[in-house]
Every structure is written in structure tokens, then in C-alpha cells.
Amino acid sequence: MIYAVEEINKSDFLLPNVSIGYRIYDNCGSTLSSMRAVMALMNGDEWTAGKSCSGQSAVHAIIGESETSSTIVLARTTGPFRIPVISHSATCECLSNRKEYPSFFRTIASDLYQSQALAQLVKHFGWTWVGAVNSDSDYGNNGMAIFLSAAQEEGVCVEYTEKFHRAEPEKLTKVVDVIRKSTARVIVGFLAHVEMNNLLEQLSLHNITGRQFIGVEAWITADSLVTPTSFSVLGGSLGFAVQKANISGLDDFLIRDFWEREFKCDERNDSMTETLPCKENHDLLDLKNYDDDVTELRYSSNIYKAIYAVAYSLHRILKCSSSQGCDKTVKVTPWQVLESLKTVNFTIKNGDQVWFDSTGAAVARYEVVNWQRGSDGTVHFKPVGYYDASLPPGQKFVLRTEDIMWPGGKTELPVSVCSESCRPGTRKVLQKGKPVCCYDCIPCAEGEISNSTDSNGCKKCPEEYWSNQNRDACVLKNVEFLSFTEVMGIIFVFFTLFGLLLTLIVATLFLINKDTPLVKANNSELSFLLLFSLTLCFLCSLTFIGRPSEWSCMLRHTAFGITFVLCISCVLGKTIVVLMAFRATLPGSNVMKWFGPAQQRLSVLAFTLIQVLICILWLTINPPFPSKNMNHYKEKIILECALGSAVGFWAVLGYIGLLAALCFILAFLARKLPDNFNEAKFITFSMLIFCAVWITFIPAYVSSPGKFTVAVEIFAILASSYGLLFCIFAPKCFIIVFKPELNTKKHLMGKT
């Protein structure tokens, strides 16, 4: 302050013919002393012995104070008198209230920015579980309140919030106990310098180390906190500091003062003093324990700007110019200085532009510093980034993480979370009665995924997708259908081909022995037609295997319906022939002429055409089509043939069942007709098997899932086909091959 005043008084362009004076009061950290000083200033006490201030008021502006509480008292006291107060260090956001503190200005930023920056810093490193300690004062309480609000917005949880005053040792003991028992490894300390020193002493005494402290400008660069034991507690601390002073000429001014004080001499060779003039050479070994560093001064630039702000305001009020000087006849009042400060805007010699915002505060610019120990064992505050509120969003915060040293000299980032991060594939479920940062990680349900860390919920996969094993990605569902390459498909193909082979062998055997009585007696024409239809029945089962397509879906059901009707029609024809044959043996009977070979062919054709007509109507109105069944299995897609028209499907089955029932009844009635080889008995057995298979097919078909529905249908086709083949043709083949002596007309007529 003295340097700035002397520099202004020597200036030729700023207040060229006016000198400004000052009086310095030390409040000794006491609010009461501050009140006394303010009253003394306003009462107009004599400033300097033997000098007056040109009849002006006793004081035009007050520079101070350092602490918020004392500054509030100062601002409230001077407010009614409209005396401007400019603080270089009081940062409480409460002082931004222009209605309550209309005469207050400051060349340091409000804690609003620092508190928000603290929350962003904590969030940047992923610390979502922190402790908070603040001074029980206007500075600490207001700053902590802003931090807690900003932390909540950033998703940071605070395990505890403790506060104490420098005059309350019992509360400090409680704070230390809370810190020792807490699980949070990061502590935000919104403390004034004195409270931080008290807390540091207690933490060192109880050997509480390994915590990551996040500090504020009030203590993060305080040299007085650096003690032989403090680094074990505060080593690795991060915090925001006021930017270093960059005032050209200040170092020379301070060094001169330092030189005179240390060597007890007068650099100016003033004969009026009793002090000896400084020698040209001095022994610098006397200064080996000197540890003050001019380059580490931080608040000096704020004081320098405050003095110049007052000077520029006076310069404007006194209408000063370099050529004519200032108008000393103008009576300057504090309220004029106050109004002028609101619009002051100037640039100091280091290039910094100075102005006050609507709250009377300067722009927020901070340096991020880290407590580190050098190779020589000394503690220094290393800059590792900056925060500038005047920059655009996204550019305000810059950190060089690689330059940071963490507590205990570690290079790994410390972790401070209530719960570990939930990996992709899980979601967070809050623990009852705890903050939002305390949660359990629950795996996503089947068909749901979360592909980010700490997901609050899982999202469902699209309809044709399913969650993978880790539940962190959606993958295409497995497509299931009865294929030729799987075991079940291979088994069905084998039995289909085996049945086809047996049918061809029987047909060949019958063809070779077509002129024998046994073949002739059983209506060889219908027998060959029946064998042909059985061949088609076996082959139609293959249409049910493989990936469903539009054509295969229409073919499988219609081919099955028509071939089985052809088969049953042949069996029905053979049954009617048996009945007619025995009726024809009665005296005077002429039945056979009404059901000869031509009528037999027409009956088979007529029965089959009815089924063909039903199938044509089905395919025309609402045919079967390939569909993806995603309802039965959630994790896979069943490719199947939808029936299209259920009425059409059950009409086809119903018609087959009707013919089979009719055939069974007629064969049952003819089973006891006299003959050594009554074919009606074998037809009865075959129809019994056929009906049993298809009656059990219905509930099995309805209840079978996925590809097993198709398997049930193929099984029913093959079982009924084998039943017809074995029951009707096996006894005949046995006689033809193994008992040829029974293949005679006499034996068949029962005369032997």
C-alpha cells in the first residue's frame, strides 16, 4: 500500500499536483479493534502531525479488511455515511448484497466462484464422497453453503459437515473425532487461516494422515502452516490461491526496506536520522536463515489495485489533466468517490485491467496449487492449473494432473467414494436412508442392458435383440427352427428315408408278385395307389424341416393334408371293397357291379378333391406364412409357419379325421367276416394306430414350444405312415416272402 501511494504521489499523469495520504490501523484480529479504528477515522482525528488535508474530509476511502467478519462490521458501520470500503481479501458472497452493503467493493472475487470451482474440482477427480469442515463465521458458513449446493448439483455427496470457531476447542475436538471415524478420504476445508492452523495442530497430534485436503485461498498458500509435522497431514493438498503479484518495482522497494531493516542502516543517507548510512558491501552470510520470498506475494496486487482505484476516482472527481493538474477547489466527499468507483475502469502497469462488477467484486481468477516437497526437503506450493471465470464455459478450468503429487507422495489418484462404480451391465439402487452416492449395484434383468458406468437404470433391447452375458450390449437373438443339420432333424430324415425305402421295397415285392392270389385278392390297384400315397406321406414330412419360407409354409400343410386324404381314401376304398365282396357272396346279390374298379377310382378321386378344395380355399383366403415368434422364448426367435387361417388348418385335420373315423368304423364292422385272410382286421389295427396318433397329436401340438411343435407334427406323420405300412402290408409281405405255400386261392378261400 505504501509503495502504491508513493508511486501515485510521484506520478505526472495521475493526480499530478495532488498527494494522497494514509493512516494504517492494525485490528489485531479483533472485531472490536476494527470498530475503534472506523470510529477514529470518521471522527476526523489528526492524520499526521503538523500536516493538514486541504480542508477535505477526514477519510475518502478505507482499504480493508482481510477477514470477512471484520469487513462486514466495517462495511455496515460506514454504509450510512457512504464511505467506500475496498477489501483486498474478504471473499464472502454475503458482501455482494448491494442493498445491505452499498459502499463495499473488493479487488478479490466473491466466494461464489471459488465454492463452485471447489465442487467442480472434486467432481473432476471422481471424488463423490467427501467430508467438509468450515470456520463458524460469515466467511466459512456462507462459503460452505454455496459449496454444498454446488456439490449437490455436481452429484457429489458430503458425508459430514462440521464447523468450529477459533475460540471453541471442544468443538474442534469433535471435528477431529468425526474426521478420524469417517470413510471419506477427501476433506474440503473452507477455513480461515487461524482455524486451519488449529485443526492442523490437532490432526498432527492425533496422527491423522493420508487425507486429501481441498483448500481455499485463505490458507492454501499460508507459509505459517508449513511446520516440520504439517506436511504429513497437508502434503498433496490441492486448492485455489490468489494469483501471484506481478508489480514491477515492488521487489526493489521491498528489498531496500529489507536491507535497511536487516543491516540497521539508512539507504537514503538521510542526515536527519541517527541511523548509519548503508555500506557498499555487506556480509550476506548474516541472511542465510532468511526465508521470505517476494515472488510468493499474492494479495499485494489486490491492495495495489485498490489504491489505484481510489486514485483514479479522485483523478476523475478533481478533473485532473497532465497539463493543468487537478482542480484543488473541488471539495471531495466520500460519496463522490463511492459513485466514481462504480464506473472506474483502468489498466495498471502490468497490463491487468481493473473494474468492479455489479456486486462490487473483481473478476474471479485463481491459481490451482498443490502442496509438494522438493528434493531439498522444503515445502512449496506448485501451480498445477488455473480457474478463470471470465473465460467461456469449458475453458474456465485447466488442470495439469500429471504434475500433481498426492498425499503420502503417491502418484496414483486417491479414491473417495461411498460405493464403488457400477460396471456396465448393472444399475444403481440407492441404499435406504443414505445419500444418493451410496448404492448397490444390481445386474440388469434379462433382455435389458446398461452400457455405461454408474447407470441409474437399464434399458430394454429392441424386439429382435437380447442382452449378452455381461448385460452391457444388445446382440441379435438366436434364431431357432428345426434344421437338417441338428440331431433331431437328422433322426427325422433317417426315419423318413427308411420309411420311403420300406415302401419302395413293398411296392417292388407286390409288383413282382402282382399275379399271385394274395396280391389279386387285396385289390392290387388300390394297394399300389396306397403305397404311392404312403411314399408321398413320408416325403411330405421333409417339408417341415428347414428354415420356413413362404413357399415351404404353404406346401407343408397342404401337401400333408392332400397326401393323407389320398392315403385314407385308398384304405377306405379297400375297406368298402372287403364289405362289398362278402355281400356279393350272398345269393342273388349284385353289389360288386355298383362298386367296381371304376367306382373305386372315382371314390378315391372324389374324397381327395374335397381336401384339395379345402386347401385351395385356405391358400386363397389366408394362407400360412413364415413368422418370428418372440413371445414364447424371450432370449431367442422361433422361426415358424403361422397358420394364417386356423379354421383352414383345423378343417384340413378335421376332414382327415372324419375319413379315418369312417374307415375305422367300417373296418371294425368287417373284422369278423369269414376268411383266412380278412384284410379288414389289419385295416382296423392301422386305423386304430392312426386315430390314436392324431388324437394325442392335438394336445401335444398345442402345448409344444418352438421347433418342438414341428417335431410333434413330423412324428405324427411318420408314426401314422409307419402304422399304415406295417399293419396293412407287413402280413402280406411275410406270406409272400416266408410262406409262399399259403399264397394260394384255396388257402385264401379257407378250403384247406
Side-chain angles (χ1 to χ4, degrees), residues 253-270:
F253 177 81
L254 294 175
I255 289 171
R256 185 187 69 189
D257 181 65
F258 148 76
W259 195 270
E260 291 178 345
R261 185 177 72 251
E262 291 297 324
F263 293 110
K264 298 179 178 58
C265 63
D266 184 6
E267 180 71 23
R268 292 164 292 187
N269 295 322
D270 191 347

Side-chain angles (χ1 to χ4, degrees), residues 50 65 72 80 144 158 263 359 365 422 459 527 532 656 712:
E65 291 192 21
I72 289 174
M144 184 55 70
V158 180
F263 293 110
T359 66
R365 292 187 182 94
C422 289
K459 57 183 179 180
S527 294
F532 173 71
I656 295 173
V712 166

Side-chain angles (χ1 to χ4, degrees), residues 11-136:
S11 173
D12 294 329
F13 70 92
L14 184 61
L15 298 174
N17 60 336
V18 172
S19 295
I20 56 176
Y22 56 86
R23 175 171 287 183
I24 300 174
Y25 289 87
D26 187 353
N27 71 354
C28 301
S30 167
T31 304
L32 183 59
S33 297
S34 298
M35 284 289 293
R36 288 174 181 160
V38 173
M39 298 309 295
L41 288 170
M42 291 193 301
N43 286 336
D45 288 355
E46 197 68 35
W47 281 57
T48 52
K51 295 184 179 179
S52 65
C53 290
S54 305
Q56 303 289 356
S57 61
V59 60
H60 294 116
I62 299 173
I63 310 299
E65 291 192 21
S66 299
E67 289 194 334
T68 293
S69 297
S70 298
T71 306
I72 289 174
V73 172
L74 182 62
R76 283 177 176 168
T77 305
T78 58
F81 300 97
R82 304 193 72 184
I83 300 174
V85 174
I86 308 176
S87 175
H88 62 286
S89 176
T91 57
C92 181
E93 169 63 14
C94 57
L95 287 165
S96 296
N97 188 337
R98 300 305 282 169
K99 290 183 179 179
E100 193 169 352
Y101 307 103
S103 63
F104 178 74
F105 297 86
R106 52 185 159 190
T107 51
I108 192 170
S110 157
D111 278 334
L112 172 67
Y113 301 101
Q114 181 174 218
S115 298
Q116 292 173 344
L118 283 171
Q120 293 172 26
L121 179 68
V122 169
K123 181 66 174 179
H124 174 80
F125 289 113
W127 297 323
T128 57
W129 188 238
V130 302
V133 182
N134 65 277
S135 300
D136 191 4

Side-chain angles (χ1 to χ4, degrees), residues 483-484 488-498 542 545 718:
S483 68
F484 287 98
M488 193 186 300
I490 293 171
I491 292 172
F492 282 135
V493 170
F494 170 76
F495 280 104
T496 297
L497 296 178
F498 183 67
L542 296 177
I545 306 174
L718 292 177

